[in-house]
Amino acid sequence: MTDATLRSPISEPARKKSSLLAVDALTKKRNRAEARFKAYGVSAVVIGLLFLVALLWAILSNGLGAFSQTFIQVPVRLDRTAIEAAEKSVVKTSKYRAIINTGFRAALSKAGIDTDMDDRGLQKMMSSGAAATLREFVLANPDQIGRTVTFDFVASSRVDGYLKGRVKREDLVHDKNLDAAHLDLVDQMRKADIVTKTFNWEFVLGTDASDSRPEQAGMGASMVGSFFMMLVVLLLSLPIGVAASIYLEEFAPQNWFTDLIEVNISNLAAVPSIVFGILGLAVFIQFAHLPQSAPLVGGLVLTLMTLPTIIISTRASLKAVPPSIRDAALGVGASKMQSIFHHVLPLAMPGILTGTIIGLAQALGETAPLLLIGMVGFIASNFPEGLGDGFLAPNSAMPAQIYEWAKRADPAFYERAWGGIIILLVFLMAMNILAIVLRRRFERRW
């Protein structure tokens, strides 16, 4: 019998013909899973963007008010007799306040505004530093005595908050500083253009103020403190970090000791920043007796925190340079050091600069290490007088200043804390944009 006769007609079922273009059930299931995964990814991106928009809206809506300030225009007659009496007085401030009140009442009368408010009530509408402002002007400009000079005195934080919508009338029920009569007077003064609102340069360029003068608090001194700290971090972390990276990547032998160093560097990058603050307090202040609250100490602490980031990014940049560059340099007679410093390092410089700037940006926003070394305990009231004072004189930093304002009770300080966050974000964005520009400018593709 042949094979054809022995084969059963039902031994092999008939195969169903299908087209390559037809999508079977399993493929449809995989496609649906892929579509769901893409939808999850898009949803995650959208949610992240919504949170980012909400964060930016909260920062801008709460902080932009700090960049404007209410001023009260008062023409003051600098009477020589009154000024001499004020300078002879034990309490000079009260005498200068009386001079301001005289001019203030004259300005209200000229604008047709009648008020029976006493002098103490009028003083509450201006900053408590108005008398000091007048005295400083008189001492700096004695030739103006005998004339009438128009001053733009800073309004009190309550008046400023009322014009910004931060203070409501119902909020003044239990307020000892201002009442509804003050707000009625402010409305009349605004119509008479006695009260104006302009850009607050004092907030950007000024120094911190006491709890009784939140309207005069500024970020200028803390910005200077942050600048000197970042200068210390840059001058120390960049050469030390690059040198350590070159040694570990190019010269260090592959043994257990080198592996131990690399593991510890990676672990240090994940250590909480407050640990570095404790280390700085113990080593730099208690052991080395460096001045407390000084930008030099803050820069040293932030250098310790930034070094792991710079070392890791620099080693990654050195690894990205093709081995053929090293081989070609060695092949034409260059030494190991010449091949690294003349060929490898210049090609790795974009990544090194990017990592350094990102490390500096991270250090600029750190607050916890500064708490431990006292840079929040001393709030600078004056700018440093020279380069030495910039490094050694007690000062604050932008994150520490924001922290100090956020914990104060007056809502005006809370508004300035949000405004300080805006300034800090501007610096951080500028540093990150600089890192991107440098990478694009010097980057080479292989």
Side-chain angles (χ1 to χ4, degrees):
M1 297 180 64
T2 63
D3 293 339
T5 58
L6 294 174
R7 188 179 300 147
S8 172
I10 60 172
S11 60
E12 290 186 5
R15 293 186 178 179
K16 196 173 188 179
K17 293 183 178 180
S18 61
S19 173
L20 293 175
L21 301 177
V23 181
D24 58 8
L26 183 59
T27 304
K28 290 180 180 179
K29 183 179 179 180
R30 291 201 306 265
N31 291 341
R32 287 194 297 269
E34 183 180 353
R36 286 196 302 271
F37 182 78
K38 290 181 179 180
Y40 296 152
V42 172
S43 301
V45 172
V46 171
I47 292 174
L49 290 176
L50 289 177
F51 276 110
L52 177 61
V53 171
L55 175 63
L56 292 177
W57 172 256
I59 293 174
L60 295 176
S61 60
N62 289 288
L64 286 178
F67 292 91
S68 62
Q69 179 63 45
T70 303
F71 292 89
I72 300 177
Q73 293 183 351
V74 179
V76 179
R77 173 69 180 176
L78 301 180
D79 184 69
R80 184 178 298 276
T81 303
I83 292 175
E84 289 177 352
E87 287 297 323
K88 293 178 181 178
S89 174
V90 177
V91 186
K92 298 179 174 60
T93 303
S94 62
K95 297 295 183 180
Y96 278 101
R97 283 176 181 168
I99 298 174
I100 294 174
N101 286 336
T102 301
F104 194 12
R105 289 189 181 279
L108 294 177
S109 177
K110 184 178 181 181
I113 301 174
D114 296 327
T115 179
D116 56 355
M117 193 174 298
D118 58 7
D119 289 348
R120 189 177 183 84
L122 291 178
Q123 290 172 7
K124 291 181 178 180
M125 302 185 65
M126 297 184 189
S127 171
S128 59
T133 301
L134 176 60
R135 183 170 185 266
E136 290 174 359
F137 178 84
V138 170
L139 295 179
N141 302 277
D143 58 312
Q144 296 296 319
I145 296 177
R147 301 180 182 180
T148 299
V149 181
T150 301
F151 289 87
D152 289 333
F153 292 114
V154 179
S156 68
S157 61
R158 298 296 193 276
V159 173
D160 182 60
Y162 173 67
L163 294 179
K164 294 177 181 177
R166 188 181 68 246
V167 176
K168 308 294 182 183
R169 287 181 177 268
E170 53 270 19
D171 299 335
L172 302 179
V173 177
H174 303 290
D175 197 319
K176 297 180 180 179
N177 297 313
L178 227 61
D179 54 26
H182 289 94
L183 300 187
D184 294 336
L185 184 58
V186 169
D187 291 334
Q188 299 179 62
M189 292 166 58
R190 182 167 53 178
K191 293 179 181 178
D193 292 333
I194 298 177
V195 171
T196 59
K197 190 164 63 174
T198 59
F199 186 82
N200 189 8
W201 287 106
E202 186 69 20
F203 173 68
V204 181
L205 304 176
T207 60
D208 191 23
S210 62
D211 290 346
S212 62
R213 298 182 292 114
E215 61 278 350
Q216 291 187 313
M219 285 282 290
S222 59
M223 290 168 61
V224 173
S226 291
F227 169 76
F228 280 102
M229 276 201 314
M230 292 301 103
L231 199 59
V232 173
V233 176
L234 179 63
L235 294 178
L236 293 179
S237 62
L238 181 60
I240 296 175
V242 173
S245 302
I246 293 175
Y247 174 76
L248 291 174
E249 191 64 31
E250 303 291 344
F251 295 100
Q254 297 299 319
N255 52 34
W256 67 269
F257 185 71
T258 304
D259 295 338
L260 181 64
I261 293 176
E262 293 177 354
V263 169
N264 279 279
I265 290 174
S266 301
N267 290 335
L268 284 175
V271 170
S273 58
I274 196 169
V275 177
F276 291 100
I278 297 173
L279 176 64
L281 174 64
V283 175
F284 300 129
I285 295 178
Q286 295 181 351
F287 178 75
H289 300 291
L290 292 176
Q292 191 174 1
S293 305
L296 175 62
V297 179
L300 292 173
V301 173
L302 295 179
T303 297
L304 296 177
M305 192 191 70
T306 309
L307 271 176
T309 302
I310 295 179
I311 291 174
I312 292 173
S313 62
T314 302
R315 293 192 64 187
S317 301
L318 294 173
K319 286 181 181 178
V321 178
S324 58
I325 300 295
R326 298 172 176 84
D327 297 337
L330 295 174
V332 296
S335 65
K336 178 77 171 178
M337 183 172 292
Q338 288 175 332
S339 66
I340 292 171
F341 283 94
H342 296 174
H343 302 279
V344 177
L345 192 60
L347 297 177
M349 192 56 67
I352 296 173
L353 293 176
T354 302
T356 302
I357 294 174
I358 292 176
L360 291 176
Q362 177 188 2
L364 180 63
E366 287 293 340
T367 307
L370 306 181
L371 300 179
L372 273 299
I373 62 173
M375 289 200 72
V376 75
F378 181 90
I379 302 301
S381 57
N382 295 303
F383 287 95
E385 297 180 357
L387 191 62
D389 280 348
F391 288 109
L392 299 175
N395 205 333
S396 183
M398 286 190 287
Q401 185 70 80
I402 294 170
Y403 170 81
E404 181 70 17
W405 285 341
K407 71 177 186 179
R408 295 186 186 180
D410 198 303
F413 281 118
Y414 189 69
E415 179 186 66
R416 274 158 173 73
W418 285 102
I421 292 174
I422 294 177
I423 295 178
L424 184 60
L425 287 178
V426 169
F427 276 90
L428 294 176
M429 289 180 61
M431 296 177 73
N432 282 275
I433 291 174
L434 178 61
I436 295 173
V437 170
L438 290 176
R439 174 174 285 277
R440 294 290 179 88
R441 173 66 178 83
F442 296 105
E443 188 176 24
R444 294 188 181 183
R445 298 186 181 275
W446 310 104

